[in-house]
Amino acid sequence: MKELLDAIDLVGWSSTVAWLAEEDAQRLRAECEDRWESGAFRRAGVGRGEGLQVRDEIRQDHVLWIETAEPMVEQDGYLARLELLRLALNERFFLGLFAYEGHFAIYPQGAFYKAHLDRHSGTNHRVITTILYLNPDWQPGDGGELKLWTTAGEKSGDFVIIEPRMGTLVCFLAGDFWHEVLPTTKTRMSITGWFCQR
Ligand code: OGA
Ligand code: MN
């Protein structure tokens, strides 16, 4: 946890391999697959409220929101760890993060999500983005990497490429860092979520 917090402090983003225990990640992966097969996912939209639209040219993932009020047992390990992270972020940075909202995401073969920020225009309640990847045996060449530009506010200059490997957790300041999901050649699974302020 300390390294993650130090990275957020220093550069505003972090990527941690094996952040979640293997068996917790596997349980989440299995749940994600089951719920996909039962048809619980919906095409993700762009914008919010009345303006929410499916826009194929921007993003092609399918999502299922996590019911944080009544989580499934498969999610307990991850949500407990996220809660520790939320408290640690508040303690260190006085962020006043009070809630978590998140969804499973599935990118079918060929899907992508073009460069964006995670804050809807005119809102600021999403403060920290967290992404947990659920892909065992990810290989170079499988695509679906996260490209994150590392200069706050800029969609140019230096960037990192992060492989969506099982158990890796990526965190960054939601309003500051441009990022995109490169086209994937295999089905790609993850949980994206945000710690929010009031
Ligand atoms: C998102 C997003 C990145 C990823 O859902 O907003 O940018 O690597 N996801 O899944
Ligand atoms: Mn995003």
Side-chain angles (χ1 to χ4, degrees), residues 64-118:
L64 172 66
W65 287 90
I66 289 173
E67 308 268 353
T68 41
E70 290 172 56
M72 319 260 291
V73 286
E74 291 85 351
Q75 300 162 357
D76 285 351
Y78 184 48
L79 292 177
R81 215 143 142 63
L82 280 179
E83 180 61 7
L84 292 178
L85 177 57
R86 183 181 74 83
L87 296 172
L89 286 164
N90 280 345
E91 188 175 335
R92 175 127 172 210
F93 304 115
F94 306 103
L95 288 173
L97 306 172
F98 83 102
Y100 170 80
E101 59 185 31
H103 58 63
F104 285 101
I106 295 194
Y107 289 71
Q109 194 179 38
F112 55 77
Y113 190 164
K114 295 284 189 196
H116 64 280
L117 292 172
D118 279 351

Side-chain angles (χ1 to χ4, degrees), residues 141-178:
D142 287 345
E145 296 92 348
L146 174 68
K147 177 173 179 178
L148 180 84
W149 282 270
T150 53
T151 310
E154 302 286 337
K155 195 173 53 174
S156 61
D158 291 347
F159 59 82
V160 288
I161 299 280
I162 298 167
E163 294 178 339
R165 283 184 189 280
M166 192 87 163
T168 295
L169 185 85
V170 172
C171 275
F172 54 87
L173 297 172
D176 285 359
F177 290 93
W178 285 89

Side-chain angles (χ1 to χ4, degrees), residues 5 17 59 63 65 102 105 113-114 188 198:
L5 296 173
V17 172
R59 70 186 293 188
V63 300
W65 287 90
Y113 190 164
K114 295 284 189 196
R188 173 198 198 266
R198 256 173 241 282

